[in-house]
């Protein structure tokens, strides 16, 4: 299983970015149970859950991104997205996508089995 993130970069406060996570080696379908999520980790801080999505299209967000970030998943393209609007300097972190073998709608990292390497987001 491979998860490859892209779309990170440097933006000014108030700006937007769209992150992508392309997956291979694991196939989901609308009838299978699955879960995917975005986490982030800032230097010197613990990894924290940002947003998750399951096979029903249900989503869960951390309080600090509600109303600003949107998670979505394109099953035919095997790609997870995170649309980030109104970015703040405190959003600066490495953003990492994760996939669960089974159904999950969780922001806890122990619920996920596969992890990408991450894409850096810097907000100034």
């Amino acid at each position: 299983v491979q998860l490859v993130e892209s779309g990170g970069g440097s933006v000014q406060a108030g700006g937007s970015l769209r992150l992508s996570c392309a997956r291979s080696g694991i196939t989901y379908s609308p009838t299978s149970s699955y879960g995917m999520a975005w986490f982030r980790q800032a230097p010197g801080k613990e990894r924290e859950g940002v947003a998750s999505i399951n096979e029903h299209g249900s989503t869960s967000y951390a309080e600090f991104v509600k109303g600003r970030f949107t998670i979505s998943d394109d099953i035919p393209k095997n790609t997870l997205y995170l649309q980030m609007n109104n970015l703040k300097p405190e959003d600066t972190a490495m953003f990492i996508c994760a996939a669960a073998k089974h159904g999950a709608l969780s922001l806890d990292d122990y619920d996920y089995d596969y992890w990408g390497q991450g894409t850096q987001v810097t907000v100034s």
Side-chain angles (χ1 to χ4, degrees):
V1 175
Q2 190 172 22
L3 302 175
V4 180
E5 302 93 336
S6 62
S10 296
V11 295
Q12 292 189 334
S16 298
L17 283 173
R18 188 193 194 202
L19 306 183
S20 299
C21 172
R23 57 183 178 262
S24 59
I26 187 167
T27 301
Y28 294 133
S29 74
T31 59
S32 64
S33 296
Y34 77 90
M36 292 203 71
W38 288 97
F39 288 77
R40 71 184 188 186
Q41 188 165 22
K45 294 189 176 181
E46 296 279 323
R47 185 167 59 191
E48 57 186 358
V50 175
S52 66
I53 188 168
N54 69 5
E55 71 277 14
H56 301 298
S58 298
T59 58
S60 176
Y61 295 94
E63 282 297 324
F64 52 79
V65 301
K66 280 185 178 179
R68 300 189 297 127
F69 293 8
T70 303
I71 188 172
S72 61
D73 189 43
D74 189 325
I75 294 176
K77 292 185 177 180
N78 290 321
T79 304
L80 179 74
Y81 300 99
L82 185 68
Q83 177 66 44
M84 305 188 295
N85 298 327
N86 190 24
L87 282 160
K88 303 175 182 180
E90 52 264 43
D91 293 318
T92 295
M94 181 72 74
F95 280 72
I96 307 158
C97 78
K101 291 180 183 178
H102 306 293
L105 186 65
S106 168
L107 297 180
D108 294 316
D109 53 11
Y110 54 75
D111 283 321
Y112 295 90
D113 306 287
Y114 308 108
W115 295 85
Q117 294 297 309
T119 185
Q120 179 67 38
V121 171
T122 302
V123 186
S124 59

